[in-house]
Amino acid sequence: MAGQQFQYDDSGNTFFYFLTSFVGLIVIPATYYFWPRDQNAEQLRLKALRKVHGRCLWYRLRLMKSKQSIIPTLKKVALLIGWVLFLFLAYKVSKIDREYQEYNPYEVLSLDPGASVSEIKRQYRLLSLRFHPDKGGDEVMFMRIAKAHAALTNEESRNNWQTYGNPDGPQATSFGIALPAWIVDQKNSMLVLLVYGLAFMVILPVVVGTWWYRSIRYSGDQILINTTQHFMQFMYRTPNMNMKRLGMVLTAASEFDPRNNKEATIRPTDNIEVPELIRDLGNINVKKKEPPFCSPYSLKARVLMLSHLARMEVSEDIKEDQQFVVRKSPALLQEMVNVGCQLTRLANSHGGFPAPRLVSIENCMKLSQMIVQGLQEFKSPLLQLPHFEEEHLRYCVSKKYKVRSIQDLVSLKDSDRRNMLRFLGEEQYEEVMAVLGNFPRITIDIKLQVVDDEDSNNITAGSLVTVTVTLTRKMMLDFFEKEQEQVCAPEDPNTEEGQGDVIKNKSKVWQNKNKAAKKTSKSKKKKLTKKKALSQQQQQQQQQKQDKQKQANGTVAVNEVVPSTKEEEDEVSGKGSDSEEGETNKDSPSERDDESDTEPDEMGGDDEEEWKALQQSIQRKERALLETKSKITHPVYSLYFPEEKHEWWWLYIADRKEQTLVSMPYHVCTLKDTEEVELKFPAPSKPGNYQYSVILRSDSFMGLDQIKPLKLEVHQAKQMPDNHPQWDIPETEEEEEDQEDSDGIEESEEEDNE
């Protein structure tokens, strides 16, 4: 009976096969993932960004880093060494002779296949005389010769050889273990046990423990848990946090403490340079004894942040620490916004403490803009542009020009803009225009509805309101081109209509104040007419309810109903005649009948459209859940930020009158061209009209925030009916079911009797 036999590889051939496979499994994937093949693509990308971002600090640091970095070279050297080792092992394996060959007795006796028995015996005698051990021959070779002779002359051995490939019959299956035999040798047992114990009982636990200890100190956004607790404590204690207090809380984060973060450092020169910066900055609450604001690391981080906002020059020794503080701050401010949202949820659900004020959360967003642009809160947004200094702002705010923001600068004509910026040379002006044209301009489209409700446009008290906001990003350069096209558009002197169209097109880019005032007056008139129409509709609905009640009581006549409807139609048509210069809209009875016939069809079409829209929204949400969008959007133009920053935005709904959040801020990190965001919040519990604001804030640019009004008309919630026609089973159906049951019982009894 055949068995199995395991043995270690004494020759080491099998171990080479194992080692070659192991090295190949490491080298091939590592080459695919770690080979620095994107160097050329990164150089091309930086070259394309040079025209706009060439003066930015992060751009210059990135260029220096790409030139001085030796990491790509080290990666290439390591991968090449791995490939050399892999090819050497593959060559070694290819040269290994086959150890397991098919047994052939003719080859052992040096005979041709098919030799006769006499030839076999003659050859055996010659080889025996040569290799017999008694005559000084090789014993192993003699045994092989004897075995081959038996396989060719003995009938049983010959049958075994032809059947099983061996004269001795079926043999045990042999498996080689790809480890050298010296590993299990008794002499080396203590050394092997020591290596195993060191690897699995010391090194592995230490590595896993170190990783676990470091990972539990950070949140999912790679923020220290101590920092999150610190933010929550101070936002709880100070719901209304001004900008000065916010800066102190930010710079007291554990990320800037050398005891918690190895990247933070305390230098011996800090005792000289930090006091000098404090004297230059002025009052920054140095004598405040409240921990942790009085800690040396917190004071240093606060001084470095304030000097960055003031655009002060610092020495080379401390510049690296300043860049570290500035680089960490936007992520910490995002964490502070998240903490404020958590406290707001807790205060709204459980109560017992005041929620953070809206101004506290918005100050976090504003401070993020200030740190990215290196500007103080009261500074002009125009200082974000290159070649703009404080003394140049007087050209922008004068008797002729009132340019205080980026939008005002964009709205100027090219000739006026060039005249205003006459302090710039031609190359400087072109650079400013290139940067200005690269700034984003976001258009906001708002849709308000109540999902999963019969009437999605009717907002009732306590319902879940969904505000779908569609953000579309365009560059200011597009509006420059539109303005030039509109100015250069050909006018038709023969027709007044053509001239009117051109004038309208010229004023489309940025609205004037006079036009805005006219639009507001028109909108007020429209609102009044809408309110009147709504009141008429409500009266009609109330009248219809009263008619239904009367019909149910059997006390109303048809003749009493018709005049009231005619009077209502006369009122509606009379009010509509004002816009149509005296024309009436009274319908004949036949026309009213036609309209009543078409109403069910229109309602059916509306239901189908709503169903299609609902299905499309569900499919869109499913696709959004499955696909992962990149957070690499558009690089931010920031003259003093040390790291490449991408455009991200905060979108939320707020009640600015009550200074509270209505919906939690949504961090839009994937806006490249168009992004759709859903903001959900519960409607107020009391019916009435509410005025909210949809707010879009940048985390990188100053002066590009947008606030859109959101009017909410909340109605009384419908009462749940105690009885519904679908729930009531008619008595006739119950009787029919009882009758069917009784008939079935009678039929079964008759069958039993038969």
Side-chain angles (χ1 to χ4, degrees):
M1 181 177 179
Q4 293 181 350
Q5 181 182 359
F6 294 89
Q7 60 182 3
Y8 288 92
D9 183 18
D10 294 329
S11 62
N13 294 337
T14 312
F15 181 68
F16 278 112
Y17 284 101
F18 164 75
L19 195 60
T20 304
S21 304
F22 181 75
V23 173
L25 288 175
I26 294 177
V27 170
I28 295 173
T31 304
Y32 179 78
Y33 286 105
F34 297 110
W35 184 264
R37 56 184 178 275
D38 293 333
Q39 267 188 317
N40 295 331
E42 179 66 13
Q43 293 293 335
L44 292 174
R45 189 181 76 90
L46 291 175
K47 188 176 180 180
L49 295 175
R50 183 176 181 179
K51 182 179 180 181
V52 176
H53 300 272
R55 289 186 177 272
C56 296
L57 176 62
W58 69 264
Y59 185 87
R60 289 183 276 119
L61 292 175
R62 179 66 64 85
L63 281 180
M64 293 172 58
K65 185 178 179 181
S66 62
K67 292 178 181 178
Q68 297 176 359
S69 179
I70 61 171
I71 294 177
T73 305
L74 293 178
K75 286 182 179 179
K76 288 183 178 180
V77 170
L79 291 173
L80 288 175
I81 291 173
W83 275 102
V84 169
L85 179 61
F86 175 71
L87 294 175
F88 171 75
L89 292 173
Y91 175 77
K92 189 76 175 176
V93 168
S94 66
K95 294 299 181 180
I96 294 175
D97 295 331
R98 290 190 304 163
E99 185 175 351
Y100 305 102
Q101 297 180 354
E102 184 181 358
Y103 181 75
N104 190 354
Y106 289 104
E107 291 183 0
V108 176
L109 296 176
S110 301
L111 291 173
D112 296 331
S116 61
V117 177
S118 59
E119 292 176 350
I120 293 171
K121 290 180 178 181
R122 189 185 311 114
Q123 185 68 14
Y124 171 68
R125 281 195 296 268
L126 292 174
L127 294 175
S128 298
L129 293 174
R130 181 179 174 184
F131 293 101
H132 198 282
D134 295 340
K135 296 182 179 182
D138 188 359
E139 184 179 358
V140 176
M141 189 61 188
F142 179 75
M143 295 298 296
R144 293 181 62 191
I145 293 169
K147 186 177 180 180
H149 176 262
L152 296 176
T153 55
N154 190 347
E155 190 66 28
E156 183 179 357
S157 298
R158 189 181 184 89
N159 292 333
N160 287 335
W161 169 60
Q162 292 177 351
T163 305
Y164 304 107
N166 196 302
D168 298 331
Q171 300 294 312
T173 305
S174 179
F175 295 93
I177 299 176
L179 290 175
W182 60 265
I183 290 181
V184 293
D185 193 354
Q186 189 174 3
K187 298 177 182 179
N188 303 326
S189 59
M190 293 301 297
L191 180 61
V192 173
L193 287 175
L194 181 63
V195 172
Y196 271 91
L198 186 65
F200 292 101
M201 299 180 66
V202 178
I203 297 176
L204 184 62
V206 167
V207 171
V208 174
T210 304
W211 168 80
W212 177 251
Y213 174 72
R214 290 180 179 176
S215 62
I216 61 174
R217 296 171 58 230
Y218 292 88
S219 64
D221 297 327
Q222 295 302 307
I223 304 295
L224 286 168
I225 300 296
N226 293 338
T227 299
T228 304
Q229 294 173 354
H230 161 76
F231 289 163
M232 187 166 290
Q233 175 188 358
F234 282 97
M235 292 199 79
Y236 173 80
R237 288 166 52 182
T238 315
N240 194 2
M241 191 178 295
N242 58 20
M243 192 66 74
K244 192 172 184 179
R245 176 79 171 179
L246 179 62
M248 297 174 65
V249 174
L250 171 65
T251 53
S254 298
E255 272 75 3
F256 306 132
D257 190 354
R259 295 170 297 180
N260 296 316
N261 191 358
K262 294 181 180 179
E263 296 182 39
T265 56
I266 297 293
R267 304 176 188 274
T269 56
D270 294 345
N271 297 326
I272 301 173
E273 296 180 354
V274 172
E276 292 178 356
L277 290 174
I278 292 174
R279 285 194 297 270
D280 296 337
L281 288 169
N283 184 21
I284 59 170
N285 291 341
V286 179
K287 297 181 179 180
K288 195 172 186 64
K289 300 301 181 182
E290 183 182 3
F293 305 137
C294 58
S295 302
Y297 81 88
S298 176
L299 180 61
K300 177 183 176 181
R302 184 159 72 252
V303 170
L304 293 177
M305 185 195 71
L306 293 176
S307 62
H308 168 73
L309 296 180
R311 294 187 174 182
M312 294 172 55
E313 290 292 334
V314 297
S315 63
E316 293 295 331
D317 295 335
I318 207 170
K319 184 176 288 186
E320 185 178 351
D321 298 339
Q322 185 188 50
Q323 293 176 359
F324 167 73
V325 172
V326 172
R327 190 169 58 248
K328 284 285 185 183
S329 295
L332 295 175
L333 289 167
Q334 170 60 28
E335 182 67 16
M336 201 177 293
V337 171
N338 295 338
V339 168
C341 296
Q342 293 175 10
L343 290 175
T344 303
R345 290 193 189 98
L346 289 174
N348 294 338
S349 59
H350 300 288
F353 63 92
R357 303 284 289 172
L358 178 63
V359 66
S360 301
I361 297 174
E362 289 185 338
N363 280 340
C364 297
M365 302 176 183
K366 292 178 182 177
L367 185 56
S368 176
Q369 301 173 1
M370 293 159 52
I371 289 176
V372 173
Q373 294 298 333
L375 283 175
Q376 295 173 337
E377 183 180 11
F378 54 86
K379 295 295 183 179
S380 172
L382 297 175
L383 295 177
Q384 300 173 102
L385 299 172
H387 309 296
F388 267 79
E389 301 295 340
E390 289 283 349
E391 60 269 16
H392 298 147
L393 296 178
R394 60 188 177 88
Y395 295 98
C396 302
V397 182
S398 60
K399 293 182 179 180
K400 186 176 181 181
Y401 304 107
K402 302 294 181 182
V403 176
R404 290 184 171 85
S405 64
I406 299 294
Q407 290 86 348
D408 294 340
L409 185 59
V410 172
S411 62
L412 289 177
K413 294 181 180 179
D414 194 25
S415 57
D416 294 339
R417 191 186 303 111
R418 187 67 188 95
N419 185 32
M420 187 187 72
L421 303 179
R422 57 187 177 275
F423 59 89
L424 297 175
E426 195 62 34
E427 293 182 359
Q428 293 177 342
Y429 179 75
E430 289 180 0
E431 184 180 351
V432 169
M433 295 305 298
V435 172
L436 186 62
N438 196 63
F439 270 50
R441 185 177 186 274
I442 311 298
T443 57
I444 303 176
D445 184 22
I446 302 172
K447 182 181 179 183
L448 184 69
Q449 61 180 350
V450 179
V451 183
D452 297 335
D453 200 354
E454 294 180 356
D455 188 2
S456 61
N457 297 322
N458 184 23
I459 301 173
T460 58
S463 61
L464 184 62
V465 182
T466 302
V467 179
T468 305
V469 183
T470 304
L471 304 175
T472 305
R473 184 198 183 276
K474 295 182 180 179
M475 294 193 300
M476 295 290 186
L477 181 63
D478 299 337
F479 295 92
F480 287 153
E481 294 175 354
K482 284 184 179 180
E483 184 181 359
Q484 292 174 2
E485 289 177 1
Q486 290 160 6
V487 170
C488 299
E491 297 183 2
D492 189 1
N494 298 325
T495 59
E496 296 181 357
E497 294 179 0
Q499 295 177 357
D501 294 338
V502 173
I503 294 171
K504 289 180 181 178
N505 290 334
K506 287 182 182 178
S507 60
K508 269 185 180 179
V509 181
W510 303 101
Q511 296 177 352
N512 296 325
K513 293 182 179 179
N514 296 331
K515 183 176 281 189
K518 291 179 181 179
K519 285 190 175 181
T520 52
S521 62
K522 289 181 181 179
S523 62
K524 287 181 180 178
K525 291 180 181 179
K526 290 181 180 179
K527 288 175 187 174
L528 292 173
T529 56
K530 286 181 180 178
K531 286 183 179 178
K532 289 180 181 179
L534 287 172
S535 62
Q536 293 171 7
Q537 292 177 0
Q538 290 176 357
Q539 290 177 2
Q540 290 179 1
Q541 291 176 359
Q542 291 178 358
Q543 184 65 32
Q544 289 176 1
K545 288 181 181 178
Q546 292 176 1
D547 294 343
K548 288 181 181 178
Q549 291 177 357
K550 290 179 181 180
Q551 288 178 0
N553 296 328
T555 59
V556 68
V558 178
N559 296 328
E560 295 176 356
V561 177
V562 175
S564 64
T565 56
K566 285 185 177 180
E567 289 175 2
E568 291 172 1
E569 290 175 358
D570 293 341
E571 291 176 1
V572 174
S573 61
K575 291 180 180 179
S577 63
D578 295 336
S579 60
E580 297 180 3
E581 299 179 356
E583 293 182 2
T584 59
N585 293 328
K586 294 181 181 180
D587 298 333
S588 63
S590 61
E591 290 176 351
R592 288 198 297 271
D593 294 339
D594 295 338
E595 290 179 358
S596 63
D597 293 338
T598 57
E599 281 180 0
D601 297 336
E602 292 177 355
M603 292 174 64
D606 294 339
D607 292 340
E608 291 180 358
E609 291 178 358
E610 290 180 1
W611 175 253
K612 289 180 180 178
L614 180 61
Q615 292 295 322
Q616 290 176 358
S617 65
I618 292 173
Q619 293 175 1
R620 189 165 55 251
K621 290 177 183 177
E622 291 178 350
R623 287 195 300 268
L625 289 173
L626 292 175
E627 66 178 351
T628 55
K629 294 184 178 180
S630 174
K631 292 186 177 181
I632 299 175
T633 54
H634 300 274
V636 174
Y637 184 85
S638 52
L639 288 169
Y640 296 93
F641 197 71
E643 191 176 50
E644 184 177 4
K645 178 79 174 63
H646 290 272
E647 294 178 9
W648 293 348
W649 306 82
W650 281 292
L651 182 66
Y652 58 98
I653 302 173
D655 187 348
R656 302 188 67 82
K657 183 179 179 181
E658 299 293 333
Q659 281 292 302
T660 56
L661 282 173
V662 177
S663 72
M664 298 301 109
Y666 182 85
H667 204 196
V668 183
C669 303
T670 57
L671 177 58
K672 289 186 177 180
D673 298 315
T674 304
E675 185 79 12
E676 187 177 279
V677 180
E678 287 187 354
L679 302 176
K680 298 183 179 182
F681 63 92
S685 58
K686 295 181 180 180
N689 294 324
Y690 296 86
Q691 184 73 32
Y692 294 152
S693 299
V694 178
I695 304 173
L696 179 70
R697 290 194 183 276
S698 172
D699 70 342
S700 306
F701 293 104
M702 296 179 65
L704 298 185
D705 301 337
Q706 296 189 41
I707 300 176
K708 298 290 184 181
L710 179 66
K711 296 180 181 179
L712 207 66
E713 186 176 355
V714 181
H715 303 284
Q716 184 66 38
K718 297 179 182 179
Q719 295 182 355
M720 293 294 294
D722 296 333
N723 294 319
H724 195 273
Q726 294 180 350
W727 303 343
D728 297 334
I729 301 176
E731 295 181 357
T732 55
E733 293 182 2
E734 293 179 354
E735 292 176 356
E736 289 178 359
E737 291 178 356
D738 294 339
Q739 184 66 29
E740 289 177 357
D741 294 339
S742 62
D743 294 341
I745 293 171
E746 291 177 358
E747 290 177 358
S748 62
E749 290 179 353
E750 291 177 358
E751 290 177 356
D752 293 339
N753 294 330
E754 291 177 357

